[in-house]
Amino acid sequence: MGRVRNILVGKGHAVYSVHPDSTVYEALKVLVDKNVGALVVLDHDKFLGIFSERDYARRVILKGRASKETTIREIMTEHPITVTEDETIENCMCKMTDKRIRHLPVVDDGGRLIGVISIGDVVKYIMDEQKHIIENLECYINGTHH
């Protein structure tokens, strides 16, 4: 099974972020524009937390707050679960399932943010890996080389 670094090599280290003093409305516009489900919260490159569609649903809409007046700082998830590049894809899948989360910020040994992986990234990686295994087995069975 692969590791987080294998996903990051394919998708890159680019991270979509929002400042903690931005409004929820501004952050929602970024989510829609970038077609992602979560943004990391950064203040001058300092990783503070994560803001997801789930945070919006639970901490803004259901609480009757206004998205144009509420700041990300007020509703973000602080100290989210993170992983390193050495974490196995299998462990990431377990963490996502156990904690019911869809995004994992990736940090280096110093706690500096270096990427984000989503459940979609994990599923795509596993599907690609299985496809590769099947192709290799077919070649083996047929006596051909890939």
Side-chain angles (χ1 to χ4, degrees):
M1 177 72 58
R3 300 199 179 269
V4 169
R5 77 168 40 83
N6 302 118
I7 290 177
L8 291 179
V9 164
K11 81 175 272 189
H13 291 262
V15 173
Y16 296 116
S17 65
V18 64
H19 190 274
D21 295 329
S22 297
T23 65
V24 170
Y25 183 81
E26 292 166 332
L28 289 172
K29 284 179 68 173
V30 177
L31 285 179
V32 171
D33 290 347
K34 302 301 182 187
N35 195 28
V36 294
L39 301 171
V40 293
V41 183
L42 296 177
D43 187 3
H44 302 310
D45 291 335
K46 185 171 193 278
F47 174 47
L48 301 179
I50 194 163
F51 166 71
S52 68
E53 294 164 331
R54 180 174 282 177
D55 294 322
Y56 174 66
R58 293 181 176 184
R59 298 180 184 150
V60 179
I61 291 297
L62 291 178
K63 301 278 189 198
R65 291 174 147 172
S67 61
K68 288 187 177 179
E69 281 94 49
T70 306
T71 63
I72 292 299
R73 184 184 307 279
E74 297 173 66
I75 56 102
M76 69 182 184
T77 298
E78 294 182 87
H79 314 296
I81 295 166
T82 61
V83 293
T84 66
E85 286 186 299
D86 293 325
E87 190 86 40
T88 65
I89 304 298
E90 188 176 31
N91 283 349
C92 290
M93 214 168 33
C94 289
K95 286 180 181 186
M96 290 172 153
T97 303
D98 291 346
K99 302 295 183 185
R100 293 190 167 100
I101 55 176
R102 294 185 174 137
H103 299 86
L104 286 171
V106 183
V107 296
D108 64 14
D109 293 335
R112 192 175 58 88
L113 185 73
I114 57 171
V116 174
I117 63 168
S118 70
I119 189 64
D121 297 327
V122 170
V123 169
K124 181 183 181 310
Y125 182 86
I126 292 169
M127 288 173 56
D128 289 347
E129 190 176 64
Q130 288 177 344
K131 181 180 176 211
H132 182 72
I133 291 167
I134 290 167
E135 288 171 355
N136 284 339
L137 287 171
E138 287 173 342
C139 288
Y140 177 75
I141 290 167
N142 295 328
T144 59
H145 296 288
H146 214 179

